[in-house]
Amino acid sequence: FLKVLSHIDSILRSPRAPPLIYRRSKGPVQNYTKENGQECGFEHLPLTIEMWADQLMALKDLYRSLRKLCLELMPWHTADPQDNRESIRVEDLQFIVDAILEEIENKGKNTQTQSLQTLSAIVSHFQKLFDVNSLNGVYPRMNEVYTKLGEMTNAMRNLHELLELDSSAPPTVVVDTVGKLCDIINKNVTEQVQQLLGTQDIHSIINKLEEHERFFPPFQALIQDLLCLLEISNLDDILPVVRNLK
């Protein structure tokens, strides 16, 4: 037993031993005597060993949790067949943590590279769509497109209200409605012209217009001569002046 205590004491006094393990006894506690007659201060060692046992169990739980996290972040990594091993070292945990950190760092670099490539592709596509020759012209053209889009949106909203269409009606419906409205208006105008000229035949309308072109110039010349001859400027005064001349 004394040899065991001596061996434990030599371990406790080793430079590699944590300071928590060895503590000189204070107070009236039983001191064991080594072969060289020196006292041993390891009366609290059982509590420390119990704490170590709990930490070793927690170390296993931590290892399993890190393995789950590693498989979640890196599913292409197959499970280690020694995951259920009894002996878990701190080096094993450090290896998993380093692998996770390396994966996160690489993913961040790849994401940044992909983002730059995506942004470059978006800018190039915008230049092709809106005929922008240089990067300096991208922002002005964006502002122009935004302004035009606002104007078109307001115009479409006003047309929806004027035509009493639902706000969700697509532009094709708006165009068709405007076209039908124009057809109705043109038809009404044609009917009004036909009623005014007293004919339903387009050839008769043309004949009447030709007659008007032959009749109106001489009639206009006659009226102008009368105005000059009678020294008046108003057509309504022609008849009263002629009656007075009688």
Side-chain angles (χ1 to χ4, degrees), residues 44-232:
H44 70 292
L45 186 57
L47 297 177
T48 302
I49 294 176
E50 291 179 1
M51 180 190 68
W52 281 4
D54 294 338
Q55 293 298 315
L56 288 175
M57 293 299 297
L59 199 64
K60 294 180 181 180
D61 295 336
L62 179 59
Y63 179 81
R64 285 192 289 269
S65 299
L66 286 176
R67 284 297 303 168
K68 290 181 181 179
L69 178 60
C70 181
L71 293 176
E72 185 71 22
L73 295 176
M74 298 175 288
W76 55 88
H77 285 193
T78 58
D80 190 348
Q82 299 182 354
D83 280 351
N84 296 324
R85 56 190 171 184
E86 293 294 332
S87 177
I88 302 297
R89 300 176 302 174
V90 176
E91 290 83 353
D92 300 328
L93 304 179
Q94 187 64 46
F95 177 79
I96 297 176
V97 172
D98 291 342
I100 293 174
L101 292 176
E102 182 179 0
E103 177 64 21
I104 293 175
E105 183 179 358
N106 293 334
K107 184 177 292 186
K109 292 180 179 179
N110 293 335
T111 302
Q112 185 177 6
T113 303
Q114 292 176 358
S115 298
L116 292 176
Q117 293 176 350
T118 302
L119 290 175
S120 177
I122 292 174
V123 172
S124 299
H125 188 61
F126 181 88
Q127 288 181 269
K128 291 179 181 179
L129 288 178
F130 298 99
D131 193 21
V132 181
N133 297 325
S134 64
L135 291 177
N136 294 332
V138 171
Y139 281 110
R141 185 57 58 87
M142 282 185 175
N143 294 332
E144 182 181 353
V145 171
Y146 178 78
T147 302
K148 295 295 183 181
L149 178 61
E151 294 176 355
M152 292 295 296
T153 301
N154 292 333
M156 291 299 296
R157 182 168 54 250
N158 293 333
L159 286 174
H160 279 91
E161 293 177 357
L162 290 174
L163 300 174
E164 297 181 354
L165 296 175
D166 187 80
S167 59
S168 61
T172 53
V173 175
V174 175
V175 173
D176 291 340
T177 305
V178 172
K180 293 178 181 178
L181 183 61
C182 291
D183 292 339
I184 294 173
I185 293 174
N186 292 334
K187 183 178 180 181
N188 291 336
V189 170
T190 302
E191 291 177 353
Q192 291 176 1
V193 172
Q194 290 175 349
Q195 292 175 1
L196 177 64
L197 298 178
T199 179
Q200 302 294 325
D201 186 5
I202 187 64
H203 295 289
S204 299
I205 294 175
I206 295 175
N207 293 333
K208 288 183 176 293
L209 291 176
E210 291 177 350
E211 293 176 359
H212 178 269
E213 290 180 355
R214 290 193 300 269
F215 169 77
F216 185 75
F219 176 76
Q220 184 181 17
L222 175 63
I223 295 298
Q224 291 294 334
D225 293 341
L226 285 174
L227 292 176
C228 293
L229 180 62
L230 299 175
E231 297 180 353
I232 56 178

